[in-house]
Amino acid sequence: MNVEIPVGWQAAIGEETSLPYFHKLQEYVEREREENLVFPPEQDIFKALAYTPYDEVKVLLLGQDPYHNVGQAHGLCFSVRPGVPPPPSLLNIYKEMRSDLGVKIPNNGCLTPWAKQGVLMLNAVLTVRAHMPNSHKGKGWETFTDAIIRKVSAKESPVVFVLWGGYAQKKLPLIDTGRHSVVQSAHPSPLSAHSGFFSSKPFSKINSLLTASGELPIDWRIPDL
């Protein structure tokens, strides 16, 4: 794993890469790539950090681990590469976005426009073996991404943390809820979307919170490709 922490995050979390757990994690991911197909490609592992520098984070959207089918994952939680059909969870996100904001569902699942507006689209685990969800769970990525969450929580400016589902909500203790806001609901996956994600209006809630703290709201519309 020869990819560097993006410049906009080096001051915040660069020291993590010198710690023993991170060296073990690097060795594990390199060994996995030698023996298996691993997603996303190495150059995309830190794409969420590259698109959304530390100083620009206004919203942190937390996912679990990357999509595990060929050609989907590109380093942003819930997002897929241009030309790849949106997976079921993302389709449900789009349905709720249409219900909440009245915007149309786009013809693609590439969410980089959100990332470029200050939405840090962070998975808790940043790599996965092909066709094996959660296969890189517990190997060290969570320690690294918990450090990212803590650093975002240490920001002076208010951030909106978006926690969909029980897994994400376990990260609540890492967040200074006195300074920052949390938007949480059921996960948008087909298994749970009807038990609290649909009708939760997360997009308008996030924008109301941003506006109240003097930040520009996010334009949630995704352009057709």
Side-chain angles (χ1 to χ4, degrees):
M1 197 165 72
N2 299 313
V3 59
E4 288 194 353
I5 303 293
V7 173
W9 282 87
Q10 281 176 6
I13 53 152
E15 64 196 25
E16 293 292 314
T17 62
S18 63
L19 298 177
Y21 87 86
F22 198 87
H23 293 308
K24 284 184 187 168
L25 171 62
Q26 278 184 303
E27 289 169 4
Y28 172 77
V29 175
E30 284 169 11
R31 197 164 59 246
E32 276 285 280
R33 285 201 191 276
E34 286 169 9
E35 298 170 3
N36 303 285
L37 187 57
V38 171
F39 301 130
E42 189 167 75
Q43 69 271 18
D44 289 339
I45 288 176
F46 297 133
K47 266 287 160 62
L49 304 181
Y51 276 121
T52 315
Y54 178 71
D55 291 343
E56 295 175 21
V57 176
K58 301 195 297 188
V59 178
L60 191 156
L61 175 57
L62 187 65
Q64 190 162 353
D65 71 335
Y67 292 123
H68 54 85
N69 288 330
V70 175
Q72 291 180 312
H74 67 130
L76 305 180
C77 68
F78 295 107
S79 179
V80 289
R81 298 177 183 283
V84 176
S89 289
L90 181 51
L91 275 178
N92 284 340
I93 290 169
Y94 282 165
K95 287 173 186 173
E96 178 58 19
M97 188 172 71
R98 180 178 62 188
S99 167
D100 184 6
L101 304 175
V103 301
K104 76 179 189 66
I105 294 177
N107 67 359
N108 69 96
C110 184
L111 304 180
T112 53
W114 296 356
K116 291 176 179 178
Q117 295 178 75
V119 182
L120 178 62
M121 307 189 62
L122 183 69
N123 275 315
V125 175
L126 298 186
T127 54
V128 68
R129 193 187 295 182
H131 316 303
M132 292 182 65
N134 291 318
S135 47
H136 287 186
K137 181 181 177 183
K139 304 300 182 183
W141 278 128
E142 294 92 339
T143 305
F144 179 71
T145 55
D146 281 0
I148 293 173
I149 295 168
R150 285 193 187 93
K151 278 293 182 182
V152 173
S153 179
K155 281 172 70 88
E156 287 294 317
S157 54
V159 174
V160 182
F161 289 81
V162 184
L163 308 178
W164 287 335
Y167 181 88
Q169 287 155 18
K170 286 177 184 164
K171 305 294 183 179
L172 199 55
L174 306 178
I175 301 164
D176 178 354
T177 54
R179 184 186 312 167
H180 305 295
S181 303
V182 177
V183 171
Q184 53 185 328
S185 73
H187 194 277
S189 91
L191 297 174
S192 56
H194 288 280
S195 60
F197 176 73
F198 288 137
S199 302
S200 65
K201 301 189 179 300
F203 305 99
S204 55
K205 282 180 185 170
I206 293 164
N207 279 352
S208 293
L209 291 163
L210 290 173
T211 305
S213 63
E215 295 280 2
L216 285 172
I218 305 297
D219 182 354
W220 296 106
R221 293 172 298 178
I222 298 292
D224 282 340
L225 296 177

